[in-house]
Amino acid sequence: MNKVFFYTSLDFWGLFFCILGMIWSITCYRKKVYSFKYLAPLFAFTGMILLSDGLFYLYEGEMTTSAFYIVRIAKFSDKFFCLLLGMIYISYIRESIEGGVNKYSTHIIYSIGLAGIILTIYSQFTGFLYYFDAKNVFRDNHMRVSHTLMYAIFLWGTFTAIYYRKRIDGMRFWMILSFDFLVIPAIIIQSTYHFSIVKIALCLSVFMLFSESLKTMIVSLSKKDGQIYKQEVMIKDMQIKIMLSQIRPHFLFNCLNTIYYLCGKDPKMAQVKIGDFSEYLRGNLNSLELKKPIAFHREWEYVLHYLSLEQMRFGDELVVENNIEEERFYVPALTLQIFVENAIKHGLAKKKNIGKLKIETKSVKDYVYIIVEDNGVGFDTDKLDKLDEGHIGINNAKERLKMMCNGEVDIESEIGKGTKVTIKLPQKNK
């Protein structure tokens, strides 16, 4: 088989796979799989090295004008991208070490790589490292200097990986050493038998790093799927507990008893209250089927139906003030309703004179705020965890807000003066 055909075939097939690897790495990195951060440039530079090597073999010795420039550009690109590859390889190792490494040592290695690039550029005008003879054939001059710089970079990477062995993931450590296991034997074979396979060895080494990142990604996605499943189960369990806590026999009995009384005294009002009661129950039961937050206006409708029922019971002793400035956001179902119910049941219902409840929403900079404030009896917030069984699902609601909306809840209360609940949601929930 023709030697030029064999080498160029290896180089161009390697280039093809490097392009595929680079595209895949970029795609994964854009999807925030950060283990592929340095793989795209590693594939890109390895691909450029293989392209340069293939073009060099095709045109070396040709006496045309285009061949004159192609072999020179190809050889320069080969050396230039080899040095860049070494520098990216060092960056990959540094990122792989948990806790990082000394910055000064990596800066020294980058300086060596930069010196090699400057020397390669200088050689284009002086022939210090290499030159081309009258037949357009490559001739070595002081290439050992350039090789020494490249070997220093890769050997430093190997030494660093071994030194920080315990701070690198097991599989990734062996993939990093593949540069030595594959490239060094390839250099020995090339020096002894003049069989040029160093560039292909580099390509295989990059693919081994790629395979490790791919494995890490698959494991990470599997863990993430498991966490999502557990979170969904937890949310469903919370929804069931919320729904059961909302359907309180005492509250239902009072509502039905009042509606029964209205049927004889004010049938039209009784009809309205039956509608409110029906929507209240529907909202509670539908919450079991909701896996995602709902639009605030839907939650607000549930709250209004509930407030209508409570005002039917308390009459003029319950005053509700609404100031809804912002509605374009999402909340977990029954979240606001829980805090409103707690304000009435545990704050205002125990108050001797008129109880006032204020509900407002507003948008401030990057956040939406929901505020539920009452002038009820208040309570000791330090004992909130112990009160939670009586105070309907407060911790439950806080957990759902955190998991589903990345929301925060702040509760202020003073005995004898009232309670203020502030829910803080990021604007991204709009």
Side-chain angles (χ1 to χ4, degrees):
M1 181 185 294
N2 184 285
K3 186 172 80 169
V4 172
F5 176 78
F6 176 74
Y7 288 148
T8 54
S9 296
L10 282 178
D11 287 334
F12 290 135
W13 272 110
L15 171 63
F16 172 74
F17 287 112
C18 280
I19 292 172
L20 294 181
M22 182 180 67
I23 293 171
W24 180 271
S25 299
I26 292 172
T27 303
C28 291
Y29 183 70
R30 284 182 174 177
K31 292 184 177 181
K32 299 183 179 181
V33 184
Y34 296 116
S35 59
F36 288 86
K37 179 179 180 180
Y38 290 105
L39 285 174
L42 281 173
F43 274 121
F45 295 155
T46 303
M48 290 303 298
I49 292 168
L50 292 170
L51 175 63
S52 302
D53 201 46
L55 290 174
F56 175 78
Y57 278 118
L58 280 175
Y59 288 95
E60 185 188 24
E62 298 287 334
M63 297 302 293
T64 62
T65 302
S66 58
F68 176 87
Y69 290 106
I70 288 173
V71 292
R72 284 160 177 77
I73 294 172
K75 183 53 69 174
F76 170 77
S77 298
D78 180 20
K79 303 306 175 187
F80 177 77
F81 285 109
C82 275
L83 289 163
L84 282 182
L85 181 71
M87 295 165 72
I88 293 295
Y89 171 64
I90 295 302
S91 298
Y92 177 86
I93 294 174
R94 188 184 64 185
E95 288 291 318
S96 300
I97 298 171
E98 186 177 347
V101 296
N102 189 301
K103 291 183 179 180
Y104 296 107
S105 60
T106 54
H107 288 164
I108 291 172
I109 295 301
Y110 293 153
S111 299
I112 292 174
L114 183 61
I117 290 172
I118 293 172
L119 190 59
T120 303
I121 295 172
Y122 172 73
S123 294
Q124 305 309 301
F125 305 99
T126 63
F128 176 75
L129 294 177
Y130 62 86
Y131 64 95
F132 290 87
D133 63 17
K135 296 182 178 180
N136 206 25
V137 175
F138 173 82
R139 298 298 180 189
D140 185 1
N141 203 4
H142 297 95
M143 280 301 296
R144 290 181 180 179
V145 176
S146 178
H147 290 159
T148 300
L149 294 176
M150 284 190 287
Y151 295 156
I153 294 172
F154 285 106
L155 286 174
W156 186 91
T158 301
F159 170 77
T160 303
I162 294 172
Y163 184 79
Y164 292 102
R165 167 72 182 87
K166 294 181 179 180
R167 288 163 56 184
I168 304 176
D169 178 72
M171 182 59 71
R172 178 166 295 190
F173 170 75
W174 293 110
M175 294 302 101
I176 289 172
L177 292 189
S178 70
F179 267 84
D180 295 321
F181 296 151
L182 293 175
V183 176
I184 291 178
I187 292 172
I188 295 172
I189 292 172
Q190 181 170 320
S191 301
T192 306
Y193 302 102
H194 304 290
F195 193 69
S196 182
I197 56 171
V198 174
K199 308 305 188 315
I200 295 299
L202 278 174
C203 182
L204 289 174
S205 298
V206 174
F207 266 100
M208 291 185 76
L209 295 177
F210 173 80
S211 67
E212 190 281 330
S213 292
L214 191 61
K215 178 193 75 73
T216 302
M217 182 187 73
I218 293 171
V219 171
S220 176
L221 290 175
S222 298
K223 289 181 179 179
K224 188 175 181 180
D225 288 342
Q227 290 172 350
I228 291 173
Y229 175 75
K230 288 180 180 178
Q231 191 177 74
E232 288 179 350
V233 171
M234 188 181 300
I235 290 173
K236 177 62 70 176
D237 182 58
M238 287 180 174
Q239 288 172 328
I240 292 171
K241 289 179 180 178
I242 286 287
M243 188 274 292
L244 292 175
S245 69
Q246 301 298 82
I247 303 177
R248 294 167 283 142
H250 182 70
F251 171 73
L252 299 181
F253 175 78
N254 284 340
C255 287
L256 290 172
N257 196 40
T258 305
I259 292 171
Y260 175 77
Y261 171 76
L262 286 173
C263 286
K265 186 177 180 181
D266 190 346
K268 289 186 178 179
M269 179 59 69
Q271 186 177 12
V272 172
K273 297 304 177 183
I274 288 172
D276 288 329
F277 187 64
S278 173
E279 290 300 322
Y280 170 77
L281 291 177
R282 188 199 307 274
N284 279 274
L285 294 172
N286 285 348
S287 68
L288 288 174
E289 301 174 2
L290 300 172
K291 295 182 179 180
K292 296 181 179 180
I294 62 173
F296 175 78
H297 70 84
R298 288 182 59 190
E299 175 74 3
W300 182 234
E301 288 174 4
Y302 298 150
V303 172
L304 289 177
H305 290 306
Y306 168 73
L307 288 173
S308 175
L309 295 172
E310 291 289 23
Q311 286 179 312
M312 176 182 67
R313 294 173 57 206
F314 291 102
D316 295 337
E317 293 184 3
L318 175 61
V319 177
V320 179
E321 180 184 341
N322 302 326
N323 184 21
I324 308 301
E325 296 180 3
E326 180 64 75
E327 292 188 41
R328 298 169 301 165
F329 61 97
Y330 293 81
V331 293
L334 303 183
T335 303
L336 175 58
Q337 186 174 314
I338 289 169
F339 292 108
V340 171
E341 288 196 28
N342 275 284
I344 293 174
K345 181 181 178 183
H346 296 285
L348 301 176
K350 297 177 181 179
K351 189 177 176 66
K352 293 181 179 180
N353 49 6
I354 295 175
K356 294 181 180 180
L357 176 66
K358 183 179 180 181
I359 305 169
E360 64 176 310
T361 64
K362 58 184 178 180
S363 178
V364 180
K365 293 184 179 179
D366 296 329
Y367 295 93
V368 174
Y369 293 88
I370 307 172
I371 301 171
V372 180
E373 188 172 4
D374 67 72
N375 67 338
V377 297
F379 66 95
D380 186 353
T381 54
D382 292 334
K383 298 179 180 179
L384 181 59
D385 290 337
K386 295 179 180 179
L387 294 172
D388 195 43
E389 289 184 5
H391 287 63
I392 309 166
I394 291 177
N395 285 341
N396 190 320
K398 290 168 69 174
E399 286 295 323
R400 290 197 301 140
L401 280 163
K402 180 65 177 177
M403 286 192 296
M404 299 174 74
C405 300
N406 198 28
E408 300 175 10
V409 178
D410 179 61
I411 300 177
E412 304 171 62
S413 187
E414 187 174 346
I415 295 175
K417 291 189 176 181
T419 302
K420 181 180 179 180
V421 176
T422 303
I423 302 171
K424 180 181 177 183
L425 301 170
Q427 285 278 19
K428 65 182 181 179
N429 288 297
K430 290 181 66 174

